[in-house]
Amino acid sequence: AGMAGAFLMEIRRGAESAVLVIRYAAAELPSAPVEVSVCADSVVLSSTRLPRCPPQPTGSPWFIFFGLRYLAGFSVQVTGNFTQFWILICFLPSIDLVFTLRESLKPHKNYVFYCQSCGDIVVKDGKFLRVLPLPSENWSDLVEEWCCHPDPFARSTLHPQHGDCFLGDTFFLLNSGNESHLPESPENTRVICKRCKTMLGERVSSDTIKYYVTEVIVQLAEGSFSPTPRSQFVQSMVAQCLLELSSAKSTFRFTVKGDNGKTYILIWLLNSDTLLIESLGSSSSHSVFTLFGDIFMPSSGPVGTWNAVKVLYQPCIKCRNKDLADAWENDMGVHPLKFPSETCLELLLILGLSTTSLPPSLRCMNSFQV
């Protein structure tokens, strides 16, 4: 009695709708029928009859929820439409924005590339005269559709010269110069960190190296290295890739492939206008499931807010979902994303933990996991 319950709210900005899940462990709920009162600033669960919510002053922010239903054993879920939701958002902590790489890398500035895992310097004082976006990896496959004569680009390569930085969907292409961490053997194309031996990228040609965006942190040379927890960094960079590609190419289905050519995950981007709000409350129910895990610490305050992309996904390891993966492989509407194989497995684990942290009723959609 009198405890502030933990909750999870998923707000869709575009649809101006929300799903609210109030988190209580089964042992905390009374055996008598639970009565729910939705007031202007609270949702109250009680085993005794509740008084009517007091009338609200004219002009005060208030929210109307409908479709209330009790999900036996662990939560009450409220789905509803509401108005003036920006008033709710402005009283909450600031929102984490997805780092946009293409807007932050500028020519004629000095950058340092760090290994994301250990902080070792990979590229020191990288000053680029040109920072240019690359076309999609499968651009050459489409040339036959554009040209009525033999491929004019067949012998052309898009390799950066000294002072160039080319940006791909999931990687940077740099001129290798005299970098000492490159593989000595031409057969070994993997580029690894000298300190922690993490794979950072691969040699594309004798003078070109590819660094994956999930493996390096790029900062201005005058700054100092700012470590980021691995899980947060991978989520942020993958979310950025999904957002940029869906916006630029109207592509919403993706295959996540490793550097070994294997497909690890099928991802379907459901929406990118989601704001997630989570509170651990004062009850012990947060031990049941917590969406943000170690990221949600007491120092974050009583309520945490995050921008999020909502995806449906299917694992493809150990030949799972092979027929669907083959169908997506041959579909021109599906865009491939390539990362180191170890990172693909990390991403699959991150997705799985995110799914299991959700209430059971929100974890699946048709045959896909959420």
Side-chain angles (χ1 to χ4, degrees), residues 32 47 60 80 86 91 105 123-124 130 154 158 168 199 206 246 285 299 310 345 363:
S47 58
S60 64
W86 287 109
F91 288 112
L105 270 177
V123 178
K124 186 177 182 180
R130 299 189 303 172
L158 297 176
M199 179 183 175
S206 59
S246 63
S285 60
S299 60
K310 189 171 186 178
L345 292 173
R363 293 177 187 174

Side-chain angles (χ1 to χ4, degrees), residues 250-303:
S250 296
T251 298
F252 303 98
R253 290 182 296 160
F254 304 88
T255 56
V256 176
K257 295 187 172 185
D259 61 288
N260 57 7
K262 294 182 180 179
T263 299
Y264 286 80
I265 316 171
L266 307 178
I267 292 182
W268 197 324
L269 177 62
L270 198 58
N271 65 64
S272 57
D273 64 345
T274 294
L275 177 70
L276 291 171
I277 304 173
E278 184 176 31
S279 170
L280 298 184
S282 59
S283 74
S284 61
S285 60
H286 62 263
S287 62
V288 178
F289 48 83
T290 301
L291 182 61
F292 301 106
D294 294 338
I295 302 173
F296 195 91
M297 302 298 289
S299 60
S300 303
V303 178

Side-chain angles (χ1 to χ4, degrees), residues 114 219-225:
Y114 299 92
Q219 294 183 342
L220 288 170
E222 56 264 27
S224 58
F225 176 71

Side-chain angles (χ1 to χ4, degrees), residues 76-132:
V76 170
Q77 180 172 304
V78 184
T79 304
N81 289 334
F82 54 88
T83 58
Q84 302 183 38
F85 68 101
W86 287 109
I87 296 177
L88 171 65
I89 295 173
C90 72
F91 288 112
L92 296 170
S94 60
I95 301 169
D96 296 327
L97 297 177
V98 174
F99 173 68
T100 305
L101 191 63
R102 295 180 184 230
E103 295 180 359
S104 64
L105 270 177
K106 303 292 184 183
H108 307 294
K109 291 184 178 292
N110 286 325
Y111 293 95
V112 178
F113 286 53
Y114 299 92
C115 170
Q116 196 279 326
S117 297
C118 70
D120 193 32
I121 294 178
V122 178
V123 178
K124 186 177 182 180
D125 296 329
K127 187 173 184 179
F128 305 115
L129 302 178
R130 299 189 303 172
V131 179
L132 302 173

Side-chain angles (χ1 to χ4, degrees), residues 33-289:
V34 176
E35 187 146 342
V36 180
S37 175
V38 182
C39 301
D41 58 356
S42 64
V43 178
V44 182
L45 281 71
S46 175
S47 58
T48 59
R49 187 165 184 82
L50 297 169
R52 286 177 170 268
C53 291
Q56 299 301 308
T58 303
S60 64
W62 62 291
F63 306 87
I64 301 174
F65 296 92
F66 68 92
L68 185 65
R69 60 193 178 99
Y70 175 59
L71 303 177
F74 57 88
S75 67
V76 170
Q77 180 172 304
V78 184
T79 304
N81 289 334
F82 54 88
T83 58
Q84 302 183 38
F85 68 101
W86 287 109
I87 296 177
L88 171 65
I89 295 173
C90 72
F91 288 112
L92 296 170
S94 60
I95 301 169
D96 296 327
L97 297 177
V98 174
F99 173 68
T100 305
L101 191 63
R102 295 180 184 230
E103 295 180 359
S104 64
L105 270 177
K106 303 292 184 183
H108 307 294
K109 291 184 178 292
N110 286 325
Y111 293 95
V112 178
F113 286 53
Y114 299 92
C115 170
Q116 196 279 326
S117 297
C118 70
D120 193 32
I121 294 178
V122 178
V123 178
K124 186 177 182 180
D125 296 329
K127 187 173 184 179
F128 305 115
L129 302 178
R130 299 189 303 172
V131 179
L132 302 173
L134 287 168
S136 300
E137 288 192 59
N138 61 347
W139 69 274
S140 58
D141 298 336
L142 303 175
V143 170
E144 292 183 0
E145 304 294 331
W146 302 340
C147 302
C148 57
H149 49 80
D151 183 357
F153 309 109
R155 297 183 180 180
S156 301
T157 55
L158 297 176
H159 288 175
Q161 304 301 310
H162 181 73
D164 288 346
C165 176
F166 292 174
L167 300 177
D169 295 336
T170 62
F171 59 86
F172 315 94
L173 280 187
L174 304 182
N175 189 272
S176 58
N178 297 317
E179 295 178 40
S180 60
H181 60 282
L182 296 182
E184 297 179 1
S185 171
E187 289 79 21
N188 177 20
T189 61
R190 290 168 64 93
V191 176
I192 63 173
C193 174
K194 292 180 293 184
R195 179 190 291 174
C196 68
K197 308 306 179 184
T198 297
M199 179 183 175
L200 305 175
E202 54 190 279
R203 184 194 284 273
V204 177
S205 69
S206 59
D207 60 352
T208 302
I209 183 171
K210 174 194 291 185
Y211 291 108
Y212 289 103
V213 297
T214 53
E215 312 309 316
V216 294
I217 291 179
V218 184
Q219 294 183 342
L220 288 170
E222 56 264 27
S224 58
F225 176 71
S226 301
T228 304
R230 178 66 181 164
S231 174
Q232 287 180 252
F233 186 79
V234 171
Q235 289 183 71
S236 176
M237 299 313 295
V238 173
Q240 173 195 318
C241 293
L242 297 178
L243 286 172
E244 291 189 354
L245 288 168
S246 63
S247 175
K249 306 177 186 301
S250 296
T251 298
F252 303 98
R253 290 182 296 160
F254 304 88
T255 56
V256 176
K257 295 187 172 185
D259 61 288
N260 57 7
K262 294 182 180 179
T263 299
Y264 286 80
I265 316 171
L266 307 178
I267 292 182
W268 197 324
L269 177 62
L270 198 58
N271 65 64
S272 57
D273 64 345
T274 294
L275 177 70
L276 291 171
I277 304 173
E278 184 176 31
S279 170
L280 298 184
S282 59
S283 74
S284 61
S285 60
H286 62 263
S287 62
V288 178
F289 48 83

